[in-house]
């Protein structure tokens, strides 16, 4: 029998943004960032009300097509719980469609809110699975669920029927590492940016990325002096440069000055990992180029609380 949630029950979720790929780890490496969306979900007598503040407030839907609402309902289904109605309040700080994990954060927030309302019958592995399924890869969602850095992978079934299994393990981040995001004032469609990627790559390029992904997992944990080498990539960033010229220019600009810069997710954000603050002179130049500068800590895991309205 389904669990009938009581009217007035409220879950409040705080979920971090994230950066995916970290250069060479395409659809594999992720990093939780200290920029947060908050979602409050209240069980009501009937209907659906969606309220949005902050980033995306003028663009996001306020009906059942909203990603947070979809994730809540998927989470409730998995938890075998039923809500007669919902009021969903989203307060967004993560820039939308900029490569900072806004959609993954929405999916995680919805699943975690549902799980919290239902008494947390879903374990962490299930939360990663459900939230990752919305994007088809687990790097961003797993980072927002687990915090810190993650190594993630997808087990693709051979029967063509069973759903893929999305998995991840957490990786400790060296305490000296900080992130600086340079955020252009335009959106990037993950689907569109993926279309420019080739269907085949050379063995040389594949070997290059395997080695740099291995370097990156060591760099982020124990050897931050290797971050520049660990963020080198040949599988996706060179192909995306033509459709994201501003991003490519600034990635090269920063890397030529010795900074471990890379395309964050599908972009257009440029992410810089460093152990010292990026000099004000460089950041001023970025602002003059109409890039938003975000100085970010490495975030912990998603958090949630349960209360009554």
């Amino acid at each position: 029998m389904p669990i009938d949630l009581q009217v007035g029950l409220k879950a409040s979720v705080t979920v971090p943004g994230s950066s995916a790929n970290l250069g060479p780890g395409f659809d594999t490496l992720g990093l939780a960032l200290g920029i947060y969306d908050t979602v409050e979900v209240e069980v009501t007598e009937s209907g659906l009300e969606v309220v949005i503040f902050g980033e995306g407030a003028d663009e996001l839907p306020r009906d059942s097509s909203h990603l947070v609402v979809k994730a809540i309902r998927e989470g409730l289904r998995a938890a075998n719980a039923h809500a007669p109605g919902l009021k969903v309040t989203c307060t967004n700080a993560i820039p939308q469609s900029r490569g900072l994990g806004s959609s993954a954060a929405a999916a995680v927030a919805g699943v975690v809110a549902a799980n919290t309302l239902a008494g947390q019958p879903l374990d962490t592995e299930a939360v990663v699975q459900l939230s990752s399924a919305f994007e088809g890869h687990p790097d961003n969602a797993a980072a927002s669920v687990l915090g810190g850095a993650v190594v993630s992978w997808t087990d693709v079934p051979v029967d063509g029927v069973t759903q893929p299994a999305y998995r991840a393990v957490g990786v400790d981040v060296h305490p000296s590492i900080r992130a600086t995001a340079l955020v252009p004032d335009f959106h990037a469609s993950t689907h569109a940016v993926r279309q420019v990627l080739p269907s085949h790559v050379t063995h040389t390029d594949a070997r290059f990325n395997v080695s740099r992904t291995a370097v990156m997992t060591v760099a982020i944990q124990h050897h931050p002096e290797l971050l520049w080498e660990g963020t080198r990539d040949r599988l996706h960033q060179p192909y995306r440069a033509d459709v994201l010229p501003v991003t490519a220019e600034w990635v090269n600009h920063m890397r030529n000055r010795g900074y471990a810069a890379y395309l964050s997710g599908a972009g257009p954000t440029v992410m810089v990992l460093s152990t010292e603050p990026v000099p004000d002179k460089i950041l001023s130049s970025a602002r003059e180029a109409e890039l938003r500068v975000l100085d970010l800590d490495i975030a912990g895991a998603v958090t949630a609380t349960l209360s009554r309205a």
Side-chain angles (χ1 to χ4, degrees):
M1 293 289 292
I3 302 168
D4 290 319
L5 301 180
Q6 296 182 353
V7 172
L9 207 59
K10 181 188 289 188
S12 300
V13 179
T14 301
V15 58
S18 59
S19 178
N21 303 332
L22 312 190
F26 186 61
D27 284 357
T28 299
L29 299 181
L31 183 67
L33 301 172
I35 184 168
Y36 303 90
D37 286 353
T38 59
V39 173
E40 291 187 347
V41 182
E42 181 182 345
V43 179
T44 60
E45 293 182 354
S46 63
L48 172 66
E49 180 183 358
V50 179
V51 181
I52 305 171
F53 300 101
E55 297 283 341
D58 297 330
E59 305 167 10
L60 295 171
R62 287 172 166 78
D63 56 23
S64 60
S65 67
H66 193 292
L67 181 53
V68 170
V69 177
K70 290 181 178 180
I72 293 168
R73 289 180 170 165
E74 183 62 22
L76 291 176
R77 183 202 62 75
N80 196 28
H82 172 262
L86 294 170
K87 179 180 180 181
V88 180
T89 303
C90 304
T91 304
N92 299 332
I94 304 170
Q96 301 285 305
S97 301
R98 298 298 206 283
L100 292 171
S102 60
S103 59
V108 169
V111 171
V112 170
N115 193 37
T116 302
L117 291 171
Q120 297 187 333
L122 306 176
D123 60 14
T124 300
E125 184 176 341
V127 172
V128 169
Q129 174 68 25
L130 291 171
S131 54
S132 298
F134 284 94
E135 294 198 307
H137 46 89
D139 44 4
N140 286 107
S144 289
V145 172
L146 300 176
V150 297
V151 176
S152 65
W153 67 98
T154 302
D155 290 335
V156 180
V158 297
D159 59 15
V161 177
T162 308
Q163 293 297 310
Y166 302 107
R167 307 189 186 282
V169 292
V171 175
D172 292 335
V173 179
H174 194 281
S176 69
I177 293 176
R178 58 196 298 160
T180 304
L182 308 179
V183 188
D185 190 24
F186 58 86
H187 294 173
S189 164
T190 300
H191 176 74
V193 175
R194 279 181 180 265
Q195 294 305 300
V196 303
L197 300 181
S199 58
H200 296 83
V201 297
T202 67
H203 192 280
T204 299
D205 285 348
R207 183 173 64 242
F208 182 94
N209 267 59
V210 168
S211 68
R212 294 322 187 273
T213 301
V215 171
M216 190 57 182
T217 59
V218 174
I220 205 162
Q221 294 180 85
H222 306 297
H223 291 282
E225 72 275 10
L226 297 177
L227 284 171
W228 189 93
E229 190 66 38
T231 47
R232 296 180 71 188
D233 160 71
R234 291 184 183 175
L235 289 189
H236 66 105
Q237 292 183 116
Y239 303 102
R240 290 169 162 172
D242 287 343
V243 296
L244 297 170
V246 172
T247 302
E249 176 188 352
W250 274 89
V251 167
N252 291 334
H253 180 78
M254 298 302 296
R255 293 191 68 81
N256 289 340
R257 284 157 179 76
Y259 290 94
Y262 63 90
L263 170 67
S264 184
T269 292
V270 177
M271 189 63 61
V272 181
L273 301 181
S274 62
T275 57
E276 298 292 337
V278 177
D280 288 338
K281 183 178 180 179
I282 294 177
L283 298 182
S284 295
S285 297
R287 293 186 181 99
E288 289 173 4
E290 299 184 346
L291 301 178
R292 190 185 342 176
V293 175
L294 302 176
D295 187 15
L296 304 172
D297 295 326
I298 309 305
V302 60
T303 60
T305 59
L306 183 67
S307 62
R308 291 191 176 276

